[in-house]
Amino acid sequence: MIKLLRVDDRLIHGQVATTWTKTLQADSIIVANDEVIHNELQIIALKLAVPAGMKVAIRSVEDAIGLLQNPKAQPMKIFVVVNHPRDALRIAEAVPETVEGINIGNYYGSKQLRTEEKIKLDRNIYLDPQDVDTLKKICALPIEFTIQMVPHEPKKKVSDYLQHLGC
């Protein structure tokens, strides 16, 4: 059902809207985010970025979990996008049997820390210590967890990168 659960702090943008949805053959996108649901302008912008004819739902993380637990979602090919690893963990723990894979593609972490104060996991992934702990928890789940900016790039295991950092 969930073709991919992606952590991308940009949520829906060109790569997500076109390349990823086409590669995954997704028929719908769920944006799960507790902040964006309170910003009408951002909701409109996200909906405008979605390809014509594709279903989109923008929900709080809890409401997104409710949608994913609904039996009507079973036959769908859903692409879930979150902007924080903790939200990916919440969803994966709530509906683990429905998640085919988790991917982190573009994430700059805490806005309070400058990039040079963060741990660089990959070229577009910067973490604070809490993020590292969250990624470790996701790695412990029985779900493939990879780094991949775009579908044509090779998948890289997050666990290998965390080991390389000594985490």
Side-chain angles (χ1 to χ4, degrees), residues 1 4 20 29 31 40-43 47 54 57 62 69 72 77 80-81 84 96 103 113 127 145 152 156 160 164 167:
M1 176 175 66
L4 185 67
W20 280 105
I29 298 174
V31 173
E40 281 300 317
L41 189 58
Q42 195 170 8
I43 290 170
K47 287 181 177 181
M54 177 155 299
E62 202 58 42
Q69 290 173 331
K72 292 179 182 178
K77 296 177 184 174
V80 179
V81 184
H84 200 285
N103 165 281
L113 296 176
L127 311 167
F145 185 27
H152 68 272
K156 305 172 213 171
D160 292 347
H164 177 55
C167 299

Side-chain angles (χ1 to χ4, degrees), residues 84-86 89 107 109-110 112-113 119 126-138 162:
H84 200 285
R86 71 175 171 256
L89 178 62
Y107 180 72
S110 172
Q112 284 73 39
L113 296 176
I119 301 161
Y126 292 84
L127 311 167
D128 62 37
Q130 289 177 321
D131 296 329
V132 172
D133 290 342
T134 301
L135 266 56
K136 287 179 186 178
K137 290 175 184 172
I138 295 171
L162 289 173

Side-chain angles (χ1 to χ4, degrees), residues 3-63:
K3 301 300 289 179
L4 185 67
L5 171 52
R6 180 175 170 88
V7 178
D8 190 322
D9 57 15
R10 300 168 294 175
L11 296 171
I12 301 175
H13 54 87
Q15 289 173 347
V16 165
T18 56
T19 309
W20 280 105
T21 54
K22 196 175 289 186
T23 300
L24 297 169
Q25 297 180 332
D27 54 30
S28 56
I29 298 174
I30 294 177
V31 173
N33 184 275
D34 292 334
E35 289 84 37
V36 78
I37 60 167
H38 302 291
N39 186 330
E40 281 300 317
L41 189 58
Q42 195 170 8
I43 290 170
I44 292 167
L46 290 170
K47 287 181 177 181
L48 286 172
V50 175
M54 177 155 299
K55 297 174 191 160
V56 64
I58 300 170
R59 302 285 190 270
S60 68
V61 176
E62 202 58 42
D63 287 348

